[in-house]
Amino acid sequence: MTITAQPAPDVAGAEEILTPDALAFVEKLHTRFAGTRDELLEARVAARAAAAETGRMDFLPETADVRAGDWKVADAPEALRDRRVEITGPPSPAKMAINALNSGAKVWLACLEDASAPTWHNVVDGIKNLTAAARGTLAYTSPEGKTYTLRTDIPRAVVVMRPRGWHLPEAHVSIDGQPAIGALVDFGLHFFHNARHLAETGQGPYYYLAKTESHLEARLWNDIFTFAEGELGLEHGTVRATVLIETIPAAFQMDEILYELREHASGLNAGRWDYLFSIIKYFRGAGEKFVMPDRADVAMTAPLMRAYTELLVQTCHKRGAFAIGGMAAFIPNRREPDVTAAAFEKVHADKAREAADGFDGSWVAHPDLVEVCREEFDGVLGAKPNQLDRQRPEVSVTPEQLLDVESVPGRVTEAGVRMNLYVAVNYTAVWLSGNGAVAIHNLMEDAATAEISRSQIWQQIRNEVVAEDTGNTITAELVRTILGEEVERLRAEVGDEERFATYYVPAAELIERLVSGRDEDFEEFLTLPAYRHLTREVVAP
């Protein structure tokens, strides 16, 4: 194999990240593991087709002995024993990285996936910032002259880096003339530059694994970790990984996922929006019983979400792993006290529920919410670092409960269609401009919320759902009309015609195609065609 990488001239110090040795390490990962990744992506297609045909899913009979077995994951390293507050956000730009590290959270999920648009600048700059952060040297001076540095008066958040999911390529790195696998580029560059230093200082290397759909995908990551540790001469088990249970097939394989990673496992996370998107995607052709109400109506208290989160806590604690709660998307607005008060109230309620259910910690999207989350978990944990001792033996979850979309309270409305279109176009446009985490109407939106927004509309068109607020049938024609109105609304909000034409027009064209309701137009991930647009001018190196 031959690997080449395009330079990143807009990133100062990029050459220190894209070194020949680092790229050679990435090449080794591809040589050994790219074929298995390709096979697993093909297996996803077959699994989804089977679910669509039968309209059901079950726990795997061939792994019953794993679920029944008496085993546990490795004991947590000291740096990961207390995870009561985790803040999420991209590692580029540096200002956001510094604010996350200084936030007072126990953990920072440094995201190169849903919260980051994978421009080459963001990827290389993100790895560079994480490398500086590991050594305590990360700093930034704004154009106005304001300096941001890492605090030394409080412990900094422990970094848990999230590489891209298995489906995304990296167009700026070529291996034998083909685009590299984004996940292996992200992991490989970060691990090569930081793993030994993080291990020596007791701060890692730690990872979040996104979009996992099976225990075999977890096995692949486990093999990668073992190989990478061997290459750098690190002790087996140095890497620790937390897996996001954000797909419906993964919810049926939580025990198996932890088992495959058990010497590298740290816990599981309840990735709520991607989870709902995954249910729609898997069962999109299975009829009206899988049609969800407006996404704003789908609360974590809905029966299928309760089943999912309670099974996650029970599974994790039975195996000695941490259960991490989901994102509180509400964000404060310091210029609007009423908005901030409402956000605080909603996050308090969300985190109080998770702490009472047995979660060991949870996510927030804004530094001002760190203390809100901490208060709720402090109230349950006290001086304890976690609540692994809460085993939840009373929990018993069936496949039918995990798939019980019909009992979700709420309505499908034309207003919900309108909001979904507004969010999907707005988010996609900002993503195309290079920003993956976007505040829209005081909610922190990322790729997961755009995914559920566009997939809900596809499903509603496909099933000819009648909107309860207007009595109109949701058709492709109606959606096109509403989309046109929302695009004009965005045009007025954006103001800048050049920016609107560059980002919002192609975003609207993409969303119009993706919500058509035709099988051939259902993309597995919105970010795949969006990435092709993002990198349309890339010349293969």
Side-chain angles (χ1 to χ4, degrees):
M1 282 191 171
T2 301
I3 184 169
T4 55
Q6 291 190 351
D10 56 344
V11 179
E15 67 280 357
E16 298 173 10
I17 299 301
L18 302 174
T19 64
D21 287 346
L23 292 174
F25 180 71
V26 171
E27 184 178 12
K28 286 182 180 179
L29 295 176
H30 278 77
T31 300
R32 285 182 171 262
F33 302 111
T36 303
R37 173 265 199 177
D38 293 345
E39 292 170 2
L40 290 172
L41 288 186
E42 291 178 8
R44 287 182 179 183
V45 176
R48 198 208 67 77
E53 182 178 350
T54 62
R56 69 185 311 275
M57 194 174 282
D58 207 342
F59 300 103
L60 299 177
E62 63 267 30
T63 55
D65 57 334
V66 172
R67 295 192 297 279
D70 183 18
W71 53 269
K72 291 185 181 297
V73 303
D75 290 339
E78 182 63 35
L80 285 182
R81 290 180 185 172
D82 188 336
R83 302 178 63 170
R84 68 188 69 199
V85 189
E86 300 194 357
I87 191 168
T88 71
S92 176
K95 176 184 171 182
M96 288 189 70
I98 293 167
N99 286 342
L101 289 162
N102 288 344
S103 66
K106 293 291 186 179
V107 165
W108 171 36
L109 187 163
C111 182
L112 282 169
E113 214 249 353
D114 270 2
S116 179
T119 64
W120 192 223
H121 173 278
N122 286 348
V123 172
V124 177
D125 190 56
I127 299 296
K128 187 194 77 166
N129 291 340
L130 292 174
T131 300
R135 291 152 180 82
T137 61
L138 183 60
Y140 170 72
T141 301
S142 72
E144 298 77 24
K146 185 175 180 180
T147 299
Y148 297 81
T149 58
L150 298 176
R151 292 175 63 175
T152 57
D153 59 323
I154 61 170
R156 291 194 290 272
V158 174
V159 174
V160 181
M161 189 271 239
R162 176 161 67 166
R164 280 170 280 183
W166 282 127
H167 59 288
L168 281 168
E170 177 45 69
H172 300 84
V173 177
S174 173
I175 298 180
D176 286 351
Q178 297 298 314
I181 297 168
L184 294 182
V185 172
D186 298 346
F187 168 78
L189 291 176
H190 179 265
F191 189 90
F192 182 83
H193 288 294
N194 296 291
R196 187 175 291 112
H197 179 81
L198 290 169
E200 290 171 353
T201 57
Q203 295 293 303
Y206 307 137
Y207 297 95
Y208 258 109
L209 305 181
K211 304 291 189 291
T212 301
E213 294 198 14
S214 74
H215 68 288
L216 297 180
E217 293 180 20
R219 179 183 297 174
L220 172 58
W221 271 117
N222 194 69
D223 291 344
I224 290 168
F225 296 151
T226 298
F227 173 78
E229 288 165 340
E231 284 292 298
L232 266 65
L234 299 178
E235 182 180 351
H236 180 70
T238 299
V239 173
R240 294 303 168 91
T242 304
V243 181
L244 289 103
I245 303 300
E246 56 184 350
T247 69
I248 186 62
F252 284 85
Q253 300 180 47
M254 287 192 262
D255 266 311
E256 294 89 333
I257 287 169
L258 286 174
Y259 182 80
E260 294 293 347
L261 284 161
R262 58 194 180 278
E263 294 172 334
H264 292 116
S266 179
L268 304 177
N269 168 271
R272 54 184 71 170
W273 287 124
D274 262 316
Y275 183 73
L276 292 170
F277 162 58
S278 176
I279 294 174
I280 295 172
K281 179 165 66 174
Y282 256 72
F283 297 99
R284 63 182 183 263
E288 291 186 8
K289 71 176 184 176
F290 284 99
V291 174
M292 291 187 187
D294 294 350
R295 73 178 180 104
D297 288 346
V298 185
M300 294 303 293
T301 53
L304 87 166
M305 301 306 283
R306 294 292 294 158
Y308 153 62
T309 54
E310 292 196 325
L311 180 61
L312 189 149
V313 171
Q314 182 197 57
T315 303
C316 284
H317 288 183
K318 180 180 180 181
R319 305 306 182 184
F322 298 121
I324 308 299
M327 171 67 76
F330 306 101
I331 57 174
N333 187 327
R334 294 170 183 174
R335 295 185 298 274
E336 298 183 35
D338 290 346
V339 169
T340 295
F344 280 14
E345 182 179 354
K346 290 173 181 176
V347 175
H348 268 298
D350 186 56
K351 302 314 169 191
R353 174 189 51 77
E354 289 179 329
D357 283 349
F359 281 94
D360 301 290
S362 191
W363 286 3
V364 297
H366 193 282
D368 288 354
L369 296 175
V370 168
E371 190 57 35
V372 176
C373 184
R374 190 198 320 279
E375 285 178 10
E376 296 301 337
F377 278 90
D378 283 352
V380 171
L381 294 176
K384 296 194 307 180
N386 53 65
Q387 47 184 338
L388 290 178
D389 56 330
R390 283 200 63 193
Q391 295 291 294
R392 301 299 308 273
E394 76 283 5
V395 171
S396 178
V397 173
T398 66
E400 292 73 21
Q401 288 173 309
L402 288 171
L403 297 175
D404 185 16
V405 175
E406 289 181 289
S407 70
V408 177
R411 305 186 304 158
V412 175
T413 68
E414 201 169 307
V417 172
R418 187 174 296 277
M419 180 54 66
N420 275 345
L421 288 168
Y422 176 89
V423 168
V425 174
N426 200 353
Y427 177 82
T428 303
V430 178
W431 191 93
L432 291 175
S433 76
N435 187 356
V438 185
I440 302 175
H441 295 168
N442 302 302
L443 294 175
M444 185 60 74
E445 308 282 13
D446 66 8
T449 49
E451 290 283 31
I452 190 173
S453 294
R454 62 97 178 183
S455 62
Q456 276 202 304
I457 296 171
W458 188 98
Q459 185 185 47
Q460 291 158 0
I461 293 173
R462 171 67 178 266
N463 288 279
E464 300 180 335
V465 175
V466 175
E468 292 190 34
D469 56 342
T470 64
N472 292 327
T473 299
I474 300 172
T475 63
E477 183 179 2
L478 176 63
V479 167
R480 278 194 296 272
T481 298
I482 297 173
L483 176 62
E485 294 168 356
E486 292 305 300
V487 169
E488 287 306 306
R489 175 184 171 193
L490 285 163
R491 183 196 297 271
E493 291 178 359
V494 172
D496 184 332
E497 278 297 322
E498 183 178 358
R499 177 176 175 80
F500 181 82
T502 302
Y503 303 118
Y504 287 81
V505 169
E509 292 172 349
L510 175 60
I511 295 302
E512 181 176 8
R513 178 172 71 80
L514 295 187
V515 302
S516 73
R518 298 191 302 268
D519 278 338
E520 63 270 21
D521 286 331
F522 192 95
E523 286 275 0
E524 290 297 299
F525 295 96
L526 178 157
T527 47
L528 284 170
Y531 186 70
R532 290 192 290 272
H533 182 88
L534 189 73
T535 59
R536 65 194 182 282
E537 296 179 357
V538 172
V539 178

